[in-house]
Amino acid sequence: MKGKALGLTPLLIILLQSTFVLSRIAFEKLTDVDFQGTAYYTVRNLSLYECQGWCREEPDCQAAAFSFVLNPLTPVQETRCLLQNDTQANNPMATPQRSVNTYYMVKLQVRTESVCLRPWAFERVPGKALRGLDNTIIYTSTKEACLAACLNEKKFPCRSAEYEYGSMRCALSDSDRRTAQHFVQLVDTPGTDYFENLCLKASQACKGPRVFTAPRVGVAEDKVAQYAGLHYYTDKELQVTSEAACRLACEIESEFLCRSFLYLGAPHSSIYNCRLYHLDHYTLPDGPSAYLNAERPLIDDGEPIGKYFENFCEKPPANANPSGELPVTIEHQQDTNMSSNLTRNDANCDKTGTCYDVSVHCKDTRIAVQVRTNKPFNGRIYALGRSETCNIDVVNSDLFRLDLTMAGQDCNTQSVTGVYSNTVVLQHHSVVMTKADKIYKVKCTYDMSSKNITFGMVPIRDPEMISITAAPEAPPPRIRILDSRQREVETVRIGDRLTFRIEIPEDTPYGIFARSCVAMAKDSKSTFQIIDDEGCPVDPSIFPAFTPDGNALQSVYEAFRFTESYGVIFQCNVKYCLGPCEPAVCEWGRESIESWGRKKRSLPHNETGEAAAEEEMNISQEILVLDFGDERQSTDFLRSDKPGGTASEANFGEKTVTIVEPCPSKGSVLLLGVACALLVLLYIATIFCYYMRKWLAPPKHL
């Protein structure tokens, strides 16, 4: 009996150790997403790490949602930490909600002593998987057990894990989204979550050398730096003497895995000039597209904010040039001299020596993909997955084009928040795809903000898939006022029937809508709103609703003016939408009328406000309105600053309008003199009669 008791002692010790291990707390973090849950405490203006630490110490806290407000006018970011004692993040069937500038941290109980002391041990990406790069596959009953297996792995550095909830399949890998040795891409996999191990040392973050370089994602470096400075939460700030010192600080950072840094320039006074981040473009849910869709800050002097660098995993030296491998990122600038600038080593050339110059033209209903080659091409070009319904055959041609429809299933063009994308295949053989074929990811970004076209390429799959992004420039609108003969006029009479038009060129993919239109006199001393903020006419009897005419908006009205001025200045707020805009339904009395004063409903928006980055444009136009008796030929003095008139100027936007008030004519002066003389005689006669009556009246006697 005593021997049995002694034999049970090691088992009890093991069980006690297991119980101790079960109590280890770790966190997983999700970027720019949020889950439903029961919030029991909210704290403002904490740091990210104070928020996470609070949840760690609170026994009831199951998750913490940390969000911050972008406000460049304040010295620090305004933050909110929301603690939840119940969360849907642990429900595999729950769908996360997109939430900008939010980090969602879920508390875990992980059965391992390898949990690091960093704020979170894993970065979680719901519904994604890294296919084909698994080193070990095991089956565990819980997600936490899978993550513990990744932390405990000794045979290879476990950089990522995938857990499939239905089959309880746990896949461990020494690759992650940044691995350069293989073709790497996260794919949509419902019921599976992807996890990246953030307990790794900086030296283990990459298979090969880890270097810091400007991200090559087809977006201008200053735009990426601007986005990072505004939208990334700063994990640590330092004052350093040089860019190299800021880079070194990121390389040796141990409190968190530093993925990127922003160097703000040479130090001055006591201001921090080096910011360290745990984020990079791989961490963002939208990837590099986030840089294209971001709006500019409230205060922007046009100067670069600084230099932004991300960690880049190079290939291991032992396999520097594996057969058939492609570089993970390349840069490409459109060049018309293809024959001299493209070689067989370029990612745009295949092994047959054919080089491709691919450009994207964004239209209102289609994406036009134009291809130019350095020698005649024979084969076909089609949309991936729609080879039968969206294709063209190419016969011995060096210039050809494929139009991808943006609606319907013929070309299967995808749309997310104003970004339309598709995948195009350049195939030599009529039936089979070979290594010599090219695959391009094309993308059109309609963000309504008059941006220049950006062009860049990134191979994202084998064979050679290249990403091309374009953004069509929104043209400036103008106001024209036409008479009944459709002639542009500047001087009219009260009651003349006029056509008020807001126009943009016909060859643009954009439509326009107008609202907040006002008519003004002089220097805006008198104003009258004709179209309200919803796009509806204030008084249709004076100025009717806008109706579409091609890409233009127009309203037919009768000329009016203000009592104190001949000059009437119209000013409207004009915005853009993709394709024709949808009218607003306006109530006037018992009638409902339509006015083209709001956006197309089908155009996607980010409900949180981050994608509503449209740029407003105010335009104005002046017209002179004469009374019924005024002569049209005598109105030159109304428009020129000549002797005999007093001029006042009103500046609206970039246009200066001169409004002139005329001096009285000779006839009007004579008429005014006669009237004044009669008034004086009447006054004198009245006084004379009064005193004569008083003098002639008999005196009163008491």
Side-chain angles (χ1 to χ4, degrees):
M1 190 71 182
K2 184 176 180 181
K4 290 182 180 180
L6 291 175
L8 290 175
T9 302
L11 179 60
L12 292 174
I13 295 175
I14 293 174
L15 290 175
L16 289 174
Q17 289 177 342
S18 300
T19 304
F20 177 76
V21 170
L22 285 173
S23 66
R24 298 300 299 269
I25 296 176
F27 281 84
E28 62 180 19
K29 182 184 78 74
L30 299 92
T31 302
D32 285 349
V33 298
D34 194 7
F35 282 93
Q36 292 183 350
T38 304
Y40 72 96
Y41 207 81
T42 302
V43 190
R44 297 188 180 275
N45 295 329
L46 292 180
S47 70
L48 174 61
Y49 303 101
E50 289 173 334
C51 179
Q52 186 269 346
W54 196 316
C55 185
R56 180 187 292 271
E57 298 300 326
E58 281 280 326
D60 295 334
C61 181
Q62 296 299 315
F66 178 85
S67 59
F68 59 93
V69 178
L70 301 178
N71 188 356
L73 300 177
T74 59
V76 295
Q77 291 166 319
E78 301 174 6
T79 66
R80 186 186 72 164
C81 175
L82 189 147
L83 304 185
Q84 296 178 340
N85 55 15
D86 180 62
T87 176
Q88 290 294 312
N90 295 321
N91 180 6
M93 304 302 295
T95 302
Q97 302 171 350
R98 289 294 300 274
S99 181
V100 295
N101 304 324
T102 298
Y103 303 133
Y104 195 85
M105 298 166 285
V106 183
K107 184 186 289 186
L108 306 173
Q109 298 287 342
V110 183
R111 187 175 179 178
T112 177
E113 294 185 357
S114 300
V115 174
C116 57
L117 297 178
R118 291 174 178 172
W120 41 82
F122 289 92
E123 176 85 24
R124 173 183 169 190
V125 184
K128 298 287 185 178
L130 201 66
R131 291 303 188 193
L133 299 176
D134 303 332
N135 292 76
T136 300
I137 297 177
I138 59 177
Y139 290 85
T140 61
S141 58
T142 62
K143 170 188 69 177
E144 288 78 4
C146 179
L147 300 181
C150 182
L151 294 175
N152 291 330
E153 182 58 50
K154 303 299 182 184
K155 295 181 180 179
F156 58 89
C158 179
R159 295 185 174 88
S160 67
E162 301 163 8
Y163 187 71
E164 187 175 349
Y165 294 94
S167 63
M168 296 184 289
R169 177 180 180 272
C170 173
L172 309 182
S173 176
D174 64 350
S175 301
D176 62 10
R177 291 175 287 184
R178 300 163 187 84
T179 300
Q181 188 176 1
H182 305 279
F183 158 66
V184 176
Q185 183 186 17
L186 285 180
V187 295
D188 292 330
T189 311
T192 301
D193 285 350
Y194 169 82
F195 301 88
E196 280 185 349
N197 184 2
L198 299 180
C199 284
L200 295 171
K201 297 179 181 178
S203 59
Q204 298 176 312
C206 295
K207 285 185 177 182
R210 180 173 180 250
V211 299
F212 284 86
T213 182
R216 292 168 288 180
V217 292
V219 184
E221 293 181 9
D222 59 340
K223 189 173 182 66
V224 178
Q226 186 180 69
Y227 182 92
L230 190 63
H231 292 266
Y232 283 15
Y233 181 81
T234 303
D235 296 281
K236 182 177 287 189
E237 285 185 301
L238 307 167
Q239 187 178 60
V240 296
T241 57
S242 64
E243 177 187 308
C246 189
R247 184 191 309 271
L248 178 62
C250 187
E251 291 175 346
I252 65 175
E253 178 59 47
S254 60
E255 295 181 3
F256 61 94
L257 187 56
C258 182
R259 298 286 194 189
S260 62
F261 69 90
L262 179 65
Y263 178 66
L264 302 177
H268 58 89
S269 67
S270 59
I271 300 177
Y272 297 122
N273 61 339
C274 176
R275 299 179 185 176
L276 307 183
Y277 305 112
H278 71 274
L279 299 175
D280 58 6
H281 76 271
Y282 292 101
T283 316
L284 304 176
D286 293 330
S289 299
Y291 304 137
L292 290 173
N293 299 331
E295 59 184 277
R296 300 186 71 85
L298 298 176
I299 299 178
D300 182 17
D301 57 6
E303 295 295 327
I305 187 175
K307 294 183 179 180
Y308 173 76
F309 298 91
E310 287 185 353
N311 62 180
F312 176 75
C313 296
E314 295 183 337
K315 294 182 180 180
N319 296 315
N321 295 301
S323 176
E325 284 284 313
L326 292 174
V328 170
T329 57
I330 63 167
E331 284 193 355
H332 171 80
Q333 297 295 330
Q334 191 174 11
D335 193 341
T336 57
N337 300 320
M338 282 188 50
S339 59
S340 59
N341 291 331
L342 293 180
T343 66
R344 292 187 60 180
N345 293 326
D346 195 286
N348 290 289
C349 301
D350 58 31
K351 63 182 182 181
T352 66
T354 303
C355 298
Y356 308 89
D357 182 18
V358 182
S359 59
V360 175
H361 303 280
C362 303
K363 307 295 183 181
D364 56 344
T365 59
R366 69 187 189 279
I367 301 174
V369 181
Q370 181 171 294
V371 182
R372 185 187 299 272
T373 60
N374 62 339
K375 58 183 182 181
F377 176 82
N378 288 279
R380 61 199 302 243
I381 177 174
Y382 60 88
L384 187 65
R386 294 293 187 272
S387 60
E388 299 300 325
T389 60
C390 189
N391 71 88
I392 60 170
D393 293 324
V394 183
V395 179
N396 202 34
S397 176
D398 60 358
L399 180 63
F400 46 93
R401 189 185 76 185
L402 174 66
D403 289 335
L404 303 170
T405 58
M406 298 168 65
Q409 296 297 318
D410 288 348
C411 293
N412 197 30
T413 301
Q414 303 297 313
S415 170
V416 179
T417 63
V419 179
Y420 292 78
S421 61
N422 208 322
T423 304
V424 174
V425 181
L426 284 168
Q427 185 172 299
H428 291 77
H429 195 273
S430 60
V431 179
V432 299
M433 183 184 297
T434 66
K435 183 69 175 179
D437 299 331
K438 291 288 183 180
I439 300 179
Y440 288 85
K441 183 79 172 181
V442 297
K443 184 182 298 182
C444 273
T445 302
Y446 296 88
D447 60 351
M448 318 306 166
S449 56
S450 301
K451 291 184 174 63
N452 293 326
I453 294 177
T454 58
F455 186 90
M457 298 191 297
V458 181
I460 58 175
R461 61 164 292 176
D462 188 15
E464 296 182 0
M465 178 181 286
I466 299 174
S467 177
I468 304 175
T469 300
E473 183 176 357
R478 66 168 180 165
I479 293 178
R480 296 177 64 216
I481 299 178
L482 310 177
D483 62 9
S484 58
R485 298 182 181 180
Q486 298 302 304
R487 297 176 302 180
E488 193 166 1
V489 293
E490 296 181 350
T491 305
V492 298
R493 287 192 180 94
I494 290 180
D496 284 357
R497 190 172 181 83
L498 304 175
T499 301
F500 184 96
R501 288 178 60 87
I502 302 176
E503 300 177 343
I504 59 174
E506 290 291 338
D507 58 350
T508 174
Y510 291 99
I512 55 173
F513 62 102
R515 56 189 178 191
S516 303
C517 296
V518 295
M520 296 178 291
K522 285 191 176 182
D523 301 325
S524 303
K525 292 180 180 178
S526 297
T527 62
F528 171 63
Q529 188 174 36
I530 54 178
I531 301 293
D532 63 18
D533 296 339
E534 300 298 326
C536 295
V538 176
D539 189 346
S541 63
I542 297 177
F543 196 94
F546 281 117
T547 58
D549 182 30
N551 277 12
L553 301 177
Q554 68 178 26
S555 175
V556 179
Y557 76 105
E558 294 183 353
F560 61 88
R561 74 171 181 88
F562 295 90
T563 56
E564 72 275 14
S565 174
Y566 287 94
V568 178
I569 299 173
F570 293 95
Q571 182 171 330
C572 279
N573 178 277
V574 179
K575 291 187 179 181
Y576 298 94
C577 58
L578 177 59
C581 296
E582 187 174 300
V585 179
C586 309
E587 300 292 335
W588 179 254
R590 296 183 178 181
E591 298 180 356
S592 295
I593 58 176
E594 291 185 344
S595 180
W596 269 252
R598 69 175 180 182
K599 299 179 66 176
K600 187 176 181 181
R601 285 197 186 102
S602 61
L603 183 64
H605 287 279
N606 189 322
E607 296 179 357
T608 60
E610 65 175 345
E614 300 117 7
E615 180 177 308
E616 298 182 0
M617 182 175 295
N618 291 324
I619 58 176
S620 61
Q621 178 69 29
E622 181 232 359
I623 188 171
L624 293 176
V625 183
L626 306 180
D627 292 330
F628 294 107
D630 292 330
E631 291 295 331
R632 192 181 301 270
Q633 290 82 1
S634 62
T635 60
D636 290 341
F637 67 92
L638 293 174
R639 292 194 171 275
S640 61
D641 191 6
K642 296 181 180 179
T646 58
S648 60
E649 292 187 355
N651 193 344
F652 297 91
E654 298 178 354
K655 186 173 181 179
T656 301
V657 179
T658 302
I659 306 171
V660 184
E661 292 297 330
C663 288
S665 64
K666 183 177 179 180
S668 60
V669 172
L670 181 61
L671 181 62
L672 180 63
V674 172
C676 291
L678 291 175
L679 289 174
V680 172
L681 289 176
L682 180 61
Y683 177 78
I684 294 174
T686 303
I687 299 297
F688 178 79
C689 290
Y690 175 79
Y691 281 103
M692 286 296 295
R693 184 177 180 182
K694 186 176 181 180
W695 181 66
L696 293 175
K700 295 181 179 181
H701 299 281
L702 297 175

